[in-house]
Amino acid sequence: MLFENKIRELMSNRKINFGLAFELLYEHNLLEELRSCNFSFEEWDCICISSSGNLKELALEKMVDLAKKEEDWLTIYGRSESIERIRELSLKKISNYIKNFEECIQIYILFNGPLKELALEKFVSFGETPDELLFLYTVTRQKELKEAIIKKLSTLAKTFDDWLEIYKRSSAESELKKVAIEKMKTMI
């Protein structure tokens, strides 16, 4: 407890370089003492931001143990680029939190890489209107995702006018435009 209080005192002193302070602790084999500290998510995040290597990994592991909400997992994801197992875990947890189309849009806009891809995959399941799915079709490059969108659009677009609108909004040589033409032919 004394060690933990000293660390908190260091963290509250804005004049101290956190990274240097924690690296010194690490160099003096105090990693196990740090491991036993009962810091909050935010305190471990401060350590994570200020550290690298094993110390950063320890901070991320502690953050994983303390994460309770989507924002926590987004923070962990953003900090874990070099630690694949934690990054993968945070991606799975974030996937569980995404509940609607609007959340997908926010994640799609704010992030890149695997998290952006996760948002795209979730879009299809949440897309309830042709407009939402057409938006998704235009932003994705994944062939499998485009096929899933076409399949879902086929269940949503019921009339000639629906398919005509999809045709008008599709790019020139897209597979979606070809599907729209075929669907309209069957309705004439």
Side-chain angles (χ1 to χ4, degrees):
M1 192 64 143
L2 181 61
F3 178 77
E4 190 174 319
N5 289 336
K6 285 288 188 191
I7 297 296
R8 279 200 172 94
E9 187 180 315
L10 274 175
M11 291 171 68
S12 68
N13 185 347
R14 299 275 183 227
K15 295 175 186 167
I16 300 287
N17 178 320
F18 293 136
L20 179 58
F22 289 114
E23 292 302 325
L24 287 171
L25 289 171
Y26 177 69
E27 286 174 16
H28 288 87
N29 297 320
L30 295 174
L31 193 59
E32 285 310 309
E33 284 83 352
L34 271 173
R35 189 178 305 280
S36 65
C37 289
N38 193 22
F39 295 137
S40 68
F41 182 90
E42 291 74 19
E43 290 168 324
W44 280 113
D45 188 32
C46 182
I47 294 170
C48 180
I49 292 168
S50 307
S51 305
S52 61
N54 290 337
L55 189 53
K56 181 174 186 142
E57 189 169 348
L58 168 65
L60 283 165
E61 288 170 356
K62 290 296 196 166
M63 291 167 67
V64 164
D65 292 343
L66 296 168
K68 291 182 175 56
K69 56 189 189 276
E70 182 181 15
E71 292 79 22
D72 295 344
W73 289 108
L74 288 168
T75 299
I76 292 168
Y77 177 84
R79 308 255 192 272
S80 65
E81 59 277 334
S82 62
I83 305 167
E84 193 61 34
R85 66 184 170 76
I86 292 176
R87 194 161 180 87
E88 287 297 317
L89 174 63
S90 62
L91 200 57
K92 288 178 186 169
K93 294 290 186 172
I94 293 166
S95 176
N96 295 335
Y97 280 101
I98 299 174
K99 301 289 185 224
N100 59 47
F101 195 82
E102 289 74 25
E103 288 178 9
C104 289
I105 290 174
Q106 289 174 339
I107 289 174
Y108 179 82
I109 291 169
L110 294 173
F111 293 93
N112 289 313
L115 198 49
K116 187 173 220 132
E117 296 303 316
L118 170 67
L120 286 173
E121 291 169 17
K122 288 284 200 171
F123 268 131
V124 177
S125 62
F126 293 128
E128 295 178 1
T129 67
D131 279 347
E132 292 172 341
L133 292 168
L134 284 167
F135 164 77
L136 178 55
Y137 190 87
T138 60
V139 297
T140 188
R141 290 187 172 94
Q142 294 180 12
K143 184 178 182 191
E144 302 83 26
L145 201 50
K146 285 186 179 274
E147 290 169 0
I149 294 165
I150 290 171
K151 186 175 180 180
K152 190 158 186 180
L153 272 170
S154 294
T155 64
L156 293 175
K158 304 277 189 224
T159 67
F160 183 87
D161 288 339
D162 292 340
W163 283 108
L164 181 59
E165 186 62 27
I166 291 168
Y167 172 83
K168 288 177 184 176
R169 294 180 54 196
S170 300
S171 60
E173 295 298 317
S174 74
E175 187 63 31
L176 185 55
K177 186 163 247 170
K178 294 173 188 171
V179 169
I181 290 169
E182 290 305 312
K183 294 286 187 178
M184 288 188 296
K185 282 181 185 177
T186 65
M187 295 178 176
I188 296 177

